[in-house]
Amino acid sequence: MLFYRYQDLAPQLVPLDYTSCPDVKVPYELISSMPELKDNPFRQRIAQVFSEDGDGHMTLDNFLDMFSVMSEMAPRDLKAYYAFKIYDFNNDGYICAWDLEQTVTKLTRGELSAEEVSLVCEKVLDEADGDHDGRLSLEDFQNMILRAPDFLRCDTPRHFAQSISMSERGSCRTSVRTPLVKAPPFIHL
């Protein structure tokens, strides 16, 4: 039961009778230590996106929302929506070149050179930016995921860069598998 997982993170903060203290928040440091997040390069962004104040500290409702989206039963469009929010590092409602650089660097765990990161970002924008405004809207992102469902999975950082640089019929062609080692399922759209 998720309540007990939440309560176990901070038993001194979260009473067993949660109704007596519903505004309690478990600190980010404890949230990020969970097995589902501790090895995820996006753990801080995930916690920020799901916390109501954006600080990573979570109420029980925030915690339940996060696990609901992470569930295998969650609809793909909901997972895509939250992946988009996680990759929108500057929270402006778009994934710009800077957001892409942050995303690619985290996905590849910093193993690509600056030139390779730049090439990947340029290629993603070239292929996925439907209205050619230099950034990805949620709609652009969802279309990219539909055209290339394996986009977020890769065997190695080098394979990630190489697979993005190859295109087939105007879509990102990838078979990307592990830069998201231990990533919550919702990242694997």
Side-chain angles (χ1 to χ4, degrees):
M1 184 167 198
L2 286 176
F3 169 75
Y4 294 112
R5 289 227 29 220
Y6 181 75
Q7 202 267 338
D8 284 347
L9 289 171
Q12 70 285 5
L13 290 176
V14 182
L16 283 174
D17 178 13
Y18 189 74
T19 58
S20 66
C21 194
D23 295 330
V24 70
K25 291 182 179 182
V26 171
Y28 165 72
E29 294 74 26
L30 298 174
I31 297 291
S32 67
S33 70
M34 294 173 31
E36 295 86 351
L37 295 177
K38 72 178 182 177
D39 293 328
N40 190 305
F42 292 95
R43 67 186 163 277
Q44 185 172 10
R45 281 297 300 157
I46 291 167
Q48 289 169 340
V49 165
F50 283 97
S51 64
E52 61 193 42
D53 298 331
D55 57 8
H57 307 312
M58 291 192 184
T59 64
L60 177 60
D61 285 343
N62 302 151
F63 189 79
L64 294 174
D65 287 345
M66 179 179 70
F67 271 91
S68 179
V69 171
M70 290 168 62
S71 163
E72 289 182 20
M73 301 302 290
R76 185 178 174 87
D77 60 332
L78 183 65
K79 292 175 182 282
Y81 171 77
Y82 278 98
F84 178 84
K85 288 182 68 145
I86 290 164
Y87 298 157
D88 178 15
F89 283 85
N90 62 10
N91 300 313
D92 67 352
Y94 295 93
I95 298 177
C96 64
W98 183 81
D99 294 324
L100 279 173
E101 288 173 10
Q102 302 306 304
T103 299
V104 170
T105 299
K106 286 186 179 294
L107 281 172
T108 60
R109 299 187 184 265
E111 293 183 27
L112 297 182
S113 69
E115 297 81 31
E116 290 170 318
V117 169
S118 182
L119 174 66
V120 169
C121 295
E122 185 180 308
K123 212 54 171 153
V124 168
L125 283 173
D126 284 348
E127 295 187 14
D129 181 12
D131 57 4
H132 307 290
D133 63 355
R135 59 190 184 176
L136 302 180
S137 65
L138 176 58
E139 183 179 350
D140 292 333
F141 183 78
Q142 289 172 325
N143 288 335
M144 177 181 67
I145 297 304
L146 285 174
R147 286 191 328 228
D150 292 335
F151 174 74
L152 299 177
R153 297 184 190 124
C154 93
D155 296 321
T156 66
R158 297 268 178 237
H159 182 247
F160 179 78
Q162 291 168 351
S163 64
I164 292 297
S165 66
M166 295 182 227
S167 63
E168 179 174 284
R169 295 186 204 109
S171 65
C172 297
R173 182 178 156 234
T174 64
S175 58
V176 190
R177 256 178 230 114
T178 52
L180 292 176
V181 175
K182 298 211 178 198
F186 73 88
I187 298 292
H188 298 291
L189 303 167

